[in-house]
Structure formats: structure tokens, C-alpha cells
């Protein structure tokens, strides 16, 4: 079919790599773009148009989007709380990517544009308790998002809205809530809590240690979304008529201590916890309210944290312990 190309930006990252894989399985013709060299991508596929481009530059965005019917813009500079609290300016520079990608999508007339936003857009004063009320989409205003990364995401959401209003570009926005799973970062400083906890427990086992370090007091709370739920929701939102930002996240709220309990049970181990109270820890509590997505799509993320963490733990364990030729895929 003419004009059947689907573009995924940030395709060398965790969610982007899984999205490319999912689109391929459903028979889509895919172009995958990332700023990293191909040998640093989390997943690559030989039957995909893989390109290394810096999408902070307008010409690169024009080249990436040429001929694309649908665009999934997942590209940004981000990581876990340890990264975004110490790289605020770098995170905000991602606004160049969405700005230039929107302009590139508008000019040739792409039919649909998806923007991956974040729960970090939500107002800080609504996330001060561990037993937080689930965050509804309207809770992003009055604006008080996560400094740096959250402000960039909130501003880019507004750009998507105005590109629809002014130019008719059909934009869709999902606010991701702590997406995790296999084939993600588990060390190096950009990892999020589920992967970091798995790595710490595995490293402690291998090193015959008796304790692990926990950032904060362990009572900060979050909801975590397994990657396959994220993929299903992402594609459903792009295909829908939902023009306003919408939560894409689990509503299963746990504390970090409870998350550690789950991983310890999966691993069959128990460690003493050493709490690092001065470490980056973000808001006190954050959980997705799924009222809108249930009403609009008749669906919401449903994979339990226990099931998702078991697959994530097994994948990280094999990455850290087993030779490459003996590893299995967990999805």
C-alpha cells in the first residue's frame, strides 16, 4: 500500500524497541530512528528501516518523517529519578525534538501523530502523600510539574494540542506511568526503580552480601506499568478519537518497600535494607486514575505487578549471569 509507513522515534530505547517489535509482528512497515549508534540500541531488526539521526535538528526530523503515515514520537533524553533530578536542562532540551517533529509531520501531511508524555506532568502538591489519591488527567493544572523533565513534557503536550487546532494535525497524547519490563536499562544511572531493585538483589546474591541500599525511606509509593500493557494502550490511543492527554498506567499502587518484598519473594531471598535518605526520590506518591481510559477505550492496563516483575527479574538475572547464547526472551 502507498503511504503505509509507520515511524517510531526513540526506537533505540526501551519502549521504542518494544514498539517496533510489536508493529513488525502485526505486519506494519516500520522506520526506526534514534540518536544512538545502532550497536547501542536495545533491540534492532534487519527488516526495519533503521536510521541514526539527531532529531533535535529540523532537517533530521524531515528525513525521518518523509513518507510516514503515522508517527510515534517517543524520543527524549530521560531516565529514572536519579537522572532527571540531576539533568534538568538536558531533559528540557528534548522540547526541540517534539517541536521539529510536529513541524515535519505537519508539512507533508502525516495522518496521525502520537506523543509520549509522562506522569511527571502532574502537579507536585497533589503527590505529597504515600497514600495518594489516583491522579486524574485534570490534575496537571494548575501547573506544577516535575522540574525540568515534567515541564518539557507539559509544554510539549500543549504544542500537540495547538498543532491540531491550528493545522489539523491529529495528535494523540499518552501520559506514561513508570513503564518497566525486559530489554530495559537496569544499570548506569538511567534505570527506574523496578529494574534497579532487581539488579541490586541479584548483585547482592552474587556477591554474597547481606544488605541492599534503598533510596529514600522506602515508603514512597508508585504504580508501575508492564511494557505489553503500554504497547497495547499506545497503539489503541493513536487509533482512537481521544485528542486530550490521557493516562496510560497501572492503578496498582505499592510502596518501594512493597516492591522490594515482591522481588525478594520472586528471587527467594531476603536482605537487610539500608535506607539512603538523601538520595533522589521524587514525589511522595503517584498513581494513575484509569477512569478516562476505561470510559474511552473500554480497557485499562491489567498485568499485575507480580507477573510483570517476575518476567523482568528473570530477564535481568540472565543478562547479569548467563552467557548470551543461553539467554531466553521474556516479554
Amino acid at each position: 500500500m502507498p503511504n503505509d509507513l509507520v515511524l517510531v522515534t526513540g526506537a533505540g530505547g526501551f519502549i521504542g524497541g518494544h514498539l517496533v517489535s510489536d508493529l513488525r509482528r502485526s505486519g506494519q512497515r516500520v522506520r526506526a530512528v534514534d540518536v544512538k549508534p545502532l550497536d547501542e540500541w536495545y533491540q534492532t531488526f534487519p527488516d526495519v528501516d533503521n536510521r541514526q539521526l539527531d532529531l533535535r535538528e529540523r532537517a533530521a526530523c524531515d528525513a525521518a518523517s518523509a513518507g510516514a503515515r503515522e508517527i510515534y514520537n517517543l524520543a527524549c533524553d530521560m531516565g529514572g529519578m536519579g537522572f532527571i533530578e540531576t539533568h534538568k536542562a538536558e531533559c528540557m532540551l528534548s522540547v526541540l525534538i517534539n517541536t521539529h517533529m510536529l513541524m515535519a509531520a505537519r508539512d507533508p501531511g502525516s495522518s496521525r501523530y502520537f506523543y509520549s508524555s509522562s506522569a511527571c506532568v502532574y502537579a507536585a502538591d497533589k503527590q505529597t502523600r504515600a497514600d495518594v489519591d489516583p491522579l486524574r488527567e485534570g490534575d496537571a493544572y494548575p501547573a506544577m510539574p516535575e522540574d525540568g523533565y515534567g515541564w518539557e513534557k507539559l509544554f510539549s503536550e500543549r504544542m500537540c494540542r495547538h498543532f491540531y487546532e491550528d493545522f489539523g494535525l491529529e495528535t494523540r497524547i499518552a501520559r506514561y506511568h513508570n513503564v518497566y519490563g525486559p530489554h530495559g536499562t537496569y544499570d548506569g544511572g538511567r534505570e527506574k526503580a523496578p529494574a534497579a531493585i532487581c539488579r541490586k538483589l541479584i548483585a547482592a546474591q552474587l556477591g554474597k552480601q547481606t544488605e541492599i541500599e534503598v533510596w529514600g525511606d522506602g515508603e514512597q509509593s508508585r504504580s508501575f506499568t508492564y511494557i505489553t500493557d503500554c504497547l497495547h494502550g499506545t497503539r489503541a490511543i493513536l487509533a482512537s478519537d481521544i485528542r486530550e492527554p490521557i493516562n496510560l498506567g497501572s492503578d496498582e499502587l505499592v510502596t518501594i518497600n512493597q516492591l522490594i518484598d515482591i522481588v525478594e519473594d520472586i528471587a527467594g531471598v531476603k536482605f537487610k535494607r539500608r535506607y539512603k535518605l538523601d538520595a533522589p526520590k521524587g514525589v511522595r506518591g503517584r498513581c494513575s486514575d484509569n477512569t478516562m481510559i476505561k470510559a474511552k477505550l473500554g480497557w485499562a492496563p491489567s498485568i499485575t505487578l507480580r507477573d510483570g516483575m517476575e518476567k523482568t527479574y528473570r530477564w535481568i538475572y540472565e543478562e547479569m549471569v548467563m552467557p548470551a547464547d543461553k539467554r531466553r526472551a521474556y516479554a
Side-chain angles (χ1 to χ4, degrees):
M1 291 176 59
N3 196 32
D4 64 343
L5 179 67
V6 179
L7 168 65
V8 178
T9 72
F14 163 53
I15 301 176
H18 277 285
L19 180 58
V20 170
S21 178
D22 192 55
L23 289 164
R24 287 175 64 253
R25 282 194 296 267
S26 62
Q28 299 288 333
R29 188 165 66 96
V30 182
R31 178 178 295 147
V33 174
D34 201 283
V35 70
K36 297 187 291 291
L38 283 174
D39 60 2
E40 295 180 13
W41 290 24
Y42 288 54
Q43 300 184 67
T44 56
F45 307 93
D47 58 344
V48 167
D49 179 6
N50 298 308
R51 303 189 186 186
Q52 182 189 358
L53 295 169
D54 186 347
L55 298 177
R56 290 169 296 188
E57 300 174 358
R58 172 62 195 275
C61 294
D62 289 337
S65 64
R69 169 176 50 87
E70 295 179 345
I71 295 171
Y72 292 91
N73 182 19
L74 278 60
C76 67
D77 198 356
M78 62 87 66
M81 192 53 59
F83 179 82
I84 66 175
E85 283 202 0
T86 55
H87 296 77
K88 295 183 176 68
E90 291 175 46
C91 289
M92 292 199 76
L93 284 173
S94 294
V95 73
L96 294 172
I97 299 172
N98 195 52
T99 302
H100 292 146
M101 282 304 306
L102 281 167
M103 294 169 69
R106 174 200 64 185
D107 291 346
S110 300
S111 62
R112 296 253 162 163
Y113 182 95
F114 175 89
Y115 178 66
S116 59
S117 188
S118 167
C120 289
V121 303
Y122 284 111
D125 62 358
K126 293 181 172 68
Q127 303 172 82
T128 57
R129 307 188 332 266
D131 60 340
V132 62
D133 292 330
L135 294 160
R136 293 176 175 265
E137 285 76 3
D139 289 333
Y141 295 94
M144 196 191 305
E146 193 86 46
D147 202 9
Y149 179 71
W151 275 109
E152 186 277 320
K153 289 295 186 184
L154 193 63
F155 177 77
S156 291
E157 285 188 4
R158 302 294 287 193
M159 288 189 66
C160 289
R161 168 182 166 177
H162 297 316
F163 266 69
Y164 166 70
E165 293 170 342
D166 291 0
F167 307 117
L169 177 62
E170 289 287 353
T171 57
R172 303 291 183 265
I173 302 162
R175 291 174 178 164
Y176 288 162
H177 285 249
N178 295 307
V179 183
Y180 73 99
H183 298 284
T185 300
Y186 59 88
D187 61 6
R190 290 179 183 255
E191 67 275 16
K192 295 185 179 181
I197 289 167
C198 290
R199 185 203 74 239
K200 289 179 180 182
L201 263 65
I202 294 165
Q205 291 177 75
L206 297 175
K208 303 188 184 311
Q209 300 165 13
T210 60
E211 66 177 20
I212 60 169
E213 181 182 87
V214 180
W215 285 10
D217 63 3
E219 292 304 305
Q220 61 270 40
S221 64
R222 296 292 186 274
S223 62
F224 299 96
T225 312
Y226 191 63
I227 183 62
T228 52
D229 272 338
C230 175
L231 298 176
H232 178 88
T234 294
R235 296 186 64 181
I237 289 166
L238 182 65
S240 75
D241 60 359
I242 306 168
R243 293 194 177 105
E244 63 266 39
I246 186 168
N247 281 334
L248 179 48
S250 170
D251 58 6
E252 182 184 355
L253 183 69
V254 295
T255 66
I256 296 301
N257 280 326
Q258 289 170 332
L259 177 61
I260 296 171
D261 290 340
I262 290 171
V263 181
E264 286 182 331
D265 186 59
I266 291 168
V269 296
K270 199 73 178 176
F271 289 100
K272 180 181 177 181
R273 299 170 193 182
R274 182 178 72 258
Y275 295 100
K276 184 174 174 58
L277 300 181
D278 60 348
K281 46 193 172 286
V283 296
R284 188 62 172 170
R286 177 180 292 154
C287 185
S288 177
D289 183 293
N290 287 343
T291 303
M292 180 184 287
I293 198 167
K294 290 175 181 176
K296 298 283 189 180
L297 295 181
W299 172 88
S302 60
I303 296 172
T304 66
L305 184 59
R306 167 70 194 220
D307 287 348
M309 286 304 298
E310 183 148 13
K311 293 177 181 178
T312 304
Y313 176 87
R314 302 300 175 201
W315 181 82
I316 294 174
Y317 183 87
E318 292 196 356
E319 286 287 305
M320 293 178 66
V321 173
M322 293 189 180
D325 61 347
K326 295 187 180 301
R327 296 173 191 164
R328 293 168 291 174
Y330 292 90

